Amino acid sequence: MQHTGRQPDSASRRTVQIPPAASTVTGDHKEQLRFTVTMGFGLANSEWLLRRRIERAKESLLWGHKLSEVALACGFADESHLNRMFRRLVGSTPGKWRTGKGLAPH
């Protein structure tokens, strides 16, 4: 891959942000809270967040929402981003997963 000299876009540098209120509620420093989440779930914060987004997407799909609406509502850039991440974690596309649950695709 050839280096173009361009900086990566902001989406590729995005990290999980812990709201200041969360550390205030728990009494922990922000970094300690991240460590606690990582140790408690056995996942990096970004992986935990991705799994939560996929679970939320599954719930929305079961309610019959359109894939494009589900993608945006769950924090994905677009439908293809949802498809890639869903396939990575679940093993099938959202449409195939929904059809396997006996629901009509949208």
Side-chain angles (χ1 to χ4, degrees):
M1 184 167 144
Q2 185 179 17
H3 179 60
T4 62
R6 291 181 11 207
Q7 292 292 323
D9 63 19
S10 62
S12 63
R13 295 187 307 248
R14 198 172 298 149
T15 60
V16 175
Q17 298 296 319
I18 305 282
S23 55
T24 302
V25 169
T26 63
D28 290 333
H29 184 273
K30 195 164 64 171
E31 293 303 316
Q32 178 62 36
L33 186 58
R34 282 191 179 123
F35 177 77
T36 303
V37 169
T38 300
M39 295 305 293
F41 292 103
L43 301 168
N45 292 326
S46 58
E47 187 67 20
W48 176 83
L49 180 60
L50 176 59
R51 290 174 186 239
R52 286 295 308 132
R53 287 178 174 168
I54 294 295
E55 289 304 313
R56 184 173 172 208
K58 285 179 176 180
E59 292 171 12
S60 295
L61 290 169
L62 290 175
W63 281 99
H65 296 285
K66 293 180 182 179
L67 289 175
S68 58
E69 294 171 354
V70 170
L72 295 178
C74 293
F76 295 97
D78 54 26
E79 190 175 333
S80 76
H81 185 210
L82 169 61
N83 280 330
R84 286 191 310 275
M85 298 298 104
F86 199 98
R87 184 185 295 236
R88 187 182 112 197
L89 290 180
V90 178
S92 69
T93 64
K96 287 183 180 178
W97 180 85
R98 178 169 35 199
T99 301
K101 297 291 182 187
L103 302 169
H106 274 44

